Amino acid sequence: MADPFLWGTATAAHQVEGGNIHNDWWRFEQEPGRIAGGDRSGAAADHWNRVAHDVGLMTALGANAYRFSVEWSRVEPTEGRWDDAAWDHYVDEVAQLRAAGVVPMATLLHFTLPAWLADRGGLLATDFPDVFARFAAEAATRLSDVRWWVTINEPNVVMVLGYVEGVFPPAVRDPRLAVRAAVAQLRGHGAASVAVRRVLPDARIGLAHHLADLQPKNPANPVDRLVTGQSAQLFNWAFQDAVTHGRIRLRTAGFPSVDVEAPELLGSTDFFGLNYYNRYLISFAPRTPAKVAWEYGDGPKTDMGYEVYPAGFERVLRAAWERYRLPVVVTENGVADDSEWVRPAALKWHVEAMRAAMAAGVPVLGYFYWSLLDNFEWAEGYAKRFGLYRVDYATQERHPTAACELFRAYATGQA
Ligand code: IFM
């Protein structure tokens, strides 16, 4: 019998758990000016202490899946020493999910690195793939009831925001390091995939790619078209292309070129994880350092400033399938919306777009809403509310937003 469609929600450890004091982000947050409003992750949504309650929220939503991340710095706060109590917490969380009929999907790296690793180069440490694979093997061994694994969340975002724009740790702006970070993440993904599969041969493994719908601002302008193609190649496709070909090739104006064999990447993914939020209009901008400008379109906006553009969701779903012929899991999709007016409509339009892609033949295996709860939105702090459940951070109470009912209708087959 075919697996049921996965209707889930997604979170990441540092954004919801609270108290993740041993990673690079915690340190970064203490530096003045890094996070909007001077926010710090602090207690976040206190999910660490409220797992049972939050699993109840999933049940109330009718969800049959949940994507979460294992915080590496919790289970290995000091290099080479596992924290058994922290591992037991995740083992228990998986058991609670299973008992509630919720399929767990575990992400191994969702933006944060243990401080001990950051101190010796983070992704650029020469042994990053090895230590990451060691963590992956341990996770697969301890969480052997998890079948769905995401090795790395949005490696393209880490590359751009951490190493080009410098707004995520390690906060550098250097195209040479950006390319090295891309290669390191791919090598790490490959090593982690091998490690997970060795322990769990039935594991279903993927990367979660942040795909944007990139369109030339002026489609009649050949230079806009050219830079759009280049941007899409680097941002949307370079990582999975490397997996497909077992070869890492990066060739984008302004970045050093790379062309190296990586046979360990072949067969390292079973599905294409797709995170979709918006489109960008791309133009040639000769007077800017990057020579390329990315702008939002003029449709309605979310609190992130992103345009609500469901047509782009259908386009990237179709493009990913046409390019890789791998089943797709929508590992994230959602909006930041304090008003609570935009979320229900945006959810409806995006599910319709996904269904249009499916009707056109794209095999989508699941849809994970970002996010279950309001949470710490990285450099944007707490003002951006992505949750299906609104969190009152003073009391940690969760309140259903207007979109919960619609999500439940989808998850239970009523819509
Ligand atoms: O909150 C983030 C998440 O951590 C990664 N994908 C995008 C989300 C919204 O910006």
Side-chain angles (χ1 to χ4, degrees), residues 97-113:
L97 290 166
R98 286 284 185 202
V102 177
V103 172
M105 175 182 279
T107 302
L108 291 167
L109 204 61
H110 194 124
F111 293 174
T112 53
L113 290 174

Side-chain angles (χ1 to χ4, degrees), residues 376-408:
F376 179 69
E377 178 53 29
W378 308 111
E380 299 290 333
Y382 282 110
K384 306 293 187 270
R385 292 183 175 270
F386 275 93
L388 275 177
Y389 286 89
R390 187 179 178 89
V391 175
D392 177 339
Y393 292 111
T395 61
Q396 293 293 359
E397 280 167 13
R398 281 82 161 119
H399 302 282
T401 66
C404 284
E405 212 176 304
L406 181 60
F407 184 94
R408 184 178 164 75

Side-chain angles (χ1 to χ4, degrees), residues 13 32 63 89 115 165 179 200-201 261 304:
H89 172 96
E165 295 185 8
V179 164
L200 301 172
E261 298 294 328
M304 292 291 276

Side-chain angles (χ1 to χ4, degrees), residues 182-243:
V183 173
Q185 289 182 93
L186 279 162
R187 297 267 187 221
H189 156 77
S193 176
V194 168
V196 169
R197 236 187 261 295
R198 194 173 289 141
V199 181
L200 301 172
D202 288 346
R204 307 193 76 178
I205 302 172
L207 284 155
H209 303 270
H210 187 119
L211 289 199
D213 181 26
L214 305 185
Q215 298 179 12
K217 184 172 179 190
N218 177 1
N221 179 339
V223 190
D224 281 7
R225 290 205 305 272
L226 181 82
V227 292
T228 303
Q230 283 203 352
S231 301
Q233 178 55 35
L234 181 67
F235 192 74
N236 281 351
W237 309 124
F239 290 86
Q240 192 69 29
D241 279 3
V243 170

Side-chain angles (χ1 to χ4, degrees), residues 12 15 110-111 153-154 210 275 277 304 306 332 370 375-378 386:
Q15 294 180 269
H110 194 124
F111 293 174
N153 183 70
E154 299 180 347
H210 187 119
N275 299 355
Y277 289 91
M304 292 291 276
Y306 298 164
E332 289 182 24
W370 186 270
N375 57 53
F376 179 69
E377 178 53 29
W378 308 111
F386 275 93

Side-chain angles (χ1 to χ4, degrees), residues 83-164:
D83 182 325
D84 289 326
W87 276 119
D88 288 348
H89 172 96
Y90 290 113
V91 170
D92 181 56
E93 179 165 352
V94 168
Q96 289 193 47
L97 290 166
R98 286 284 185 202
V102 177
V103 172
M105 175 182 279
T107 302
L108 291 167
L109 204 61
H110 194 124
F111 293 174
T112 53
L113 290 174
W116 56 259
L117 179 57
D119 282 342
R120 53 182 181 72
L123 298 175
L124 306 185
T126 46
D127 63 346
F128 165 70
D130 300 331
V131 289
F132 183 47
R134 189 182 66 198
F135 163 52
E138 193 68 16
T141 306
R142 303 239 189 184
L143 306 179
S144 57
D145 217 10
V146 175
R147 181 163 173 245
W148 292 89
W149 294 86
V150 171
T151 51
I152 303 185
N153 183 70
E154 299 180 347
N156 54 348
V157 169
V158 171
M159 171 182 74
V160 172
L161 298 189
Y163 294 85
V164 179

